[in-house]
Amino acid sequence: MQNLKGVGVSPGRIIGTIRHMPQPVQEPHAEQRLSPDVSAEDAIAQLKAAAGRVHEQLKDRASHAQDDAKAVLEATALMAKDSMLLKTAAKKITAGICAERAIWDAAQTVATQLGALGGYMAERATDVLDVRQRIVAELRGAPAPGIPHSDTPFILVAQDLAPADTATLDPAQVLALLTSEGGPQSHTAIIARSLGLPAVVAAAGAEQILADAEIYVDGATGEIHLEPGQPERQAAERWQASAQLQSFDGTGATADGHAVPLLANVGGADSARRAAADGAEGVGLFRTEFCFLERDSEPSVEEQAAAYAGVFDAFAGKKVVVRTLDAGADKPLPFLTDSTEPNPALGVRGYRTDWSNPGVLQRQLQAIAQAAAGSSAEVWVMAPMISTVEDSEAFARMCADAGLRTPGVMIEVPSAALNSRHVLQPVQFASLGTNDLTQYAMAADRQLGSLAALNTGWQPAVLQLVKHAVDGAQLAGQRPVGVCGESAGDPAMAVVLAGLGVATLSMSARSIPAVSSVLRSITLAQAQELAEVALNARNAQEAQQQVRAGLPILDQLGL
């Protein structure tokens, strides 16, 4: 085999022996019928009991997981008790199909329907098929497939990883991840970044690498060398050494003292406390969905306020940027979102849910204000999926009515970036969600591995939107613009963003030391020069290569 090339989604250079994911649960025989000794009612009861056990197992895993892994497991657990899935299987059992085959076919039907919807709903198809494997294993009394065991650390190779497996990776056992499918925003990519694991996705041919082969993986460039030589071994050694030396002194800045505060993305009080302990200067993205998941009804104002207070208390006296509920698309809620939308990524999600369910956002803002009143944290609040001036005006009024003094908006829709001069006038700040901004700008579903090359913040068109948003923010009254998408955690991209005038960068707390080290190696003027290089590049690959070439510290740190 030749060397492979994928999409680097989590930096780091590793040489190690590979282990392949075990084969999935064997498909039940297509003609397998219900045993004459088992009634349809009993088989349905057995199926529901097996699904219930899978649900509880995933919930238990979620209770021991952290941050992004916790959210992934909670979402997958919901799928294990999905009423559409179980009802479809029950009908098949009533028609004489055995429970194993019934849930197998029912899951395929549901997954196909979700896949046809595209966008975020297509990602749920992976959850359904993962849950199918686990339910069938339960019915058979067999262990569910999972991460392979090894007496020594290894590089894990797979077609893609099921959400529940990705969420329980042990960084002490798994050195790096390599998948032939998946995209920059897949479960694998998101959790690899949160764990600090080097990872490459969308590397066609990865599954054909011979078992126990030693390979080199570069999680920044996406390069895979099947016969690593001395240059690759030296690069891996430099990365290992720099990973131990990297630290953050609590102040993000360039070499000439230009401040670029480095904030953390958090999803609850536990992750906020860890981020604070790691020295993050504040919270640039507080995802509030955790309060609403695993529920059939809206949490009370009091419940929400108590949950938000835990995050505010972790950053007493510091800035905490709260994103209001981003329901819809990949985070459907039974009491709030319409699961029949033909294209949920372009549907009623984020701020737009207030149009169809007025009152939910108002009560959330009330809870945020209540929690903020009992804390010394500097609480800023922003709404996702803002598209027009009317959106930002309405949200600013809602915040004022709730007593929240610092309203803002997320810029993740191209219209908001292009019209930022006006969209930002009613509010006091903006935060760029580069994941969605890239998806919408490039018309490329961010979950599809086949479109991974399009879904990168290095696309010059996306960088032009960032620049337009920042320039418009200055015309709107010098509104500060931060970035809370995954691009902020890429050290090379962080330099470009600082050069474009982005005020703050928010990322996984694990990414902060590397970003800080690279920012401190250049002046603001140098960052501006590199930003111009990226803006004027012909394509994403050229932009990334030319910027990286202007940052020799990346090679020194193995980044």
Side-chain angles (χ1 to χ4, degrees):
M1 288 183 66
Q2 301 296 314
N3 293 333
L4 305 180
K5 185 74 165 66
V7 177
V9 295
S10 184
R13 296 168 177 174
I14 288 290
I15 290 179
T17 302
I18 72 160
R19 294 284 185 274
H20 288 280
M21 279 291 289
Q23 290 298 310
V25 168
Q26 188 173 3
E27 178 180 349
H29 194 278
E31 304 300 323
Q32 198 168 346
R33 307 286 296 179
L34 191 62
S35 170
D37 301 331
V38 180
S39 68
E41 291 77 12
D42 287 344
I44 291 171
Q46 291 169 4
L47 173 63
K48 289 182 176 178
R53 290 193 294 274
V54 170
H55 174 72
E56 291 301 320
Q57 290 164 6
L58 293 171
K59 279 187 64 178
D60 181 65
R61 285 195 186 189
S63 68
H64 295 92
Q66 300 171 355
D67 305 337
D68 292 317
K70 184 180 185 73
V72 167
L73 284 168
E74 287 174 340
T76 309
L78 280 174
M79 195 58 71
K81 66 173 186 178
D82 180 72
S83 59
M84 180 170 63
L85 174 65
L86 295 177
K87 285 179 181 178
T88 303
K91 289 180 181 178
K92 293 180 180 293
I93 292 174
T94 302
I97 305 297
C98 77
E100 289 181 24
R101 188 70 216 185
I103 191 65
W104 192 272
D105 290 343
Q108 188 61 58
T109 299
V110 173
T112 300
Q113 292 171 345
L114 292 173
L117 294 176
Y120 292 99
M121 294 308 291
E123 178 70 16
R124 312 317 306 166
T126 306
D127 294 359
V128 175
L129 298 180
D130 176 32
V131 162
R132 173 176 76 174
Q133 299 251 337
R134 296 176 185 280
I135 293 176
V136 169
E138 276 291 323
L139 288 169
R140 293 175 178 172
I147 306 298
H149 173 73
S150 174
D151 293 331
T152 57
F154 57 92
I155 295 172
L156 181 60
V157 177
Q159 178 179 355
D160 201 357
L161 292 176
D165 290 327
T166 313
T168 52
L169 287 171
D170 181 2
Q173 184 77 356
V174 179
L175 297 172
L177 301 177
L178 174 59
T179 65
S180 59
E181 296 185 1
Q185 303 308 323
S186 64
H187 290 314
T188 301
I190 291 169
I191 294 177
R193 285 189 286 261
S194 70
L195 294 174
L197 278 177
V200 175
V201 301
E207 293 174 282
Q208 299 173 27
I209 302 174
L210 295 177
D212 297 324
E214 184 183 59
I215 67 171
Y216 167 83
V217 173
D218 188 326
T221 64
E223 296 175 359
I224 301 104
H225 291 251
L226 304 186
E227 294 183 359
Q230 193 59 27
E232 289 77 33
R233 296 185 187 282
Q234 291 175 345
E237 290 171 1
R238 287 197 298 273
W239 182 76
Q240 290 284 357
S242 69
Q244 297 172 3
L245 294 175
Q246 287 176 29
S247 61
F248 179 53
D249 64 5
T251 304
T254 58
D256 54 342
H258 173 72
V260 186
L262 303 182
L263 315 175
N265 296 340
V266 305
D270 288 344
S271 59
R273 285 190 285 268
R274 287 192 296 274
D278 289 339
E281 295 181 72
V283 173
L285 173 62
F286 172 20
R287 306 181 184 95
T288 57
E289 289 75 38
F290 76 102
C291 278
F292 295 80
L293 294 175
E294 279 284 324
R295 299 182 66 102
D296 296 322
S297 61
E298 178 189 348
S300 69
V301 170
E302 290 69 26
E303 286 179 285
Q304 292 184 58
Y308 304 153
V311 174
F312 298 165
D313 291 344
F315 282 92
K318 296 184 179 180
K319 181 168 74 174
V320 176
V321 181
V322 183
R323 182 182 70 188
T324 57
L325 180 61
D326 192 14
D330 62 334
K331 295 178 280 289
L333 297 174
F335 59 90
L336 190 62
T337 50
D338 179 4
S339 61
T340 65
E341 285 184 346
N343 193 339
L346 300 179
V348 180
R349 56 169 295 206
Y351 167 76
R352 299 172 182 177
T353 57
D354 189 60
W355 303 346
S356 56
N357 293 272
V360 176
L361 178 56
Q362 182 182 28
R363 288 185 287 274
Q364 183 179 27
L365 292 173
Q366 181 184 345
I368 294 169
Q370 184 175 314
S375 169
S376 64
E378 182 185 345
V379 177
W380 295 19
V381 187
M382 63 184 181
M385 284 298 285
I386 294 295
S387 304
T388 66
V389 174
E390 289 78 11
D391 290 349
S392 60
E393 287 175 340
F395 183 69
R397 286 194 298 270
M398 295 179 75
C399 287
D401 291 343
L404 294 164
R405 298 187 301 274
T406 314
V409 298
M410 287 198 71
I411 295 180
E412 49 198 341
V413 178
S415 65
L418 293 170
N419 198 30
S420 62
R421 175 180 181 177
H422 299 298
V423 170
L424 297 187
Q425 283 183 350
V427 295
Q428 296 187 32
F429 74 98
S431 186
L432 280 156
T434 52
N435 304 344
D436 270 325
L437 184 62
T438 302
Q439 170 178 241
Y440 295 137
M442 302 305 297
D445 183 346
R446 72 185 198 181
Q447 306 292 350
L448 292 181
S450 57
L451 300 181
L454 293 175
N455 253 307
T456 167
W458 286 102
Q459 293 287 354
V462 176
L463 295 175
Q464 292 284 357
L465 285 172
V466 174
K467 184 178 188 302
H468 204 100
V470 173
D471 290 347
Q474 294 303 302
L475 295 173
Q478 296 187 329
R479 303 291 194 258
V481 177
V483 168
C484 61
E486 295 297 340
S487 292
D490 176 344
M493 177 60 78
V495 169
V496 172
L497 294 172
L500 290 174
V502 168
T504 61
L505 300 171
S506 188
M507 64 204 75
S508 164
R510 287 179 177 269
S511 301
I512 291 177
V515 170
S516 173
S517 297
V518 175
L519 280 175
R520 287 190 177 278
S521 73
I522 51 95
T523 64
L524 176 60
Q526 290 172 320
Q528 292 168 339
E529 290 173 4
L530 290 171
E532 281 297 315
V533 167
L535 284 171
N536 293 310
R538 294 175 58 254
N539 54 42
Q541 184 178 14
E542 184 178 291
Q544 184 181 33
Q545 288 177 345
Q546 291 184 356
V547 169
R548 289 183 63 86
L551 292 169
I553 190 174
L554 292 173
D555 190 55
Q556 296 169 18
L557 296 178
L559 297 170

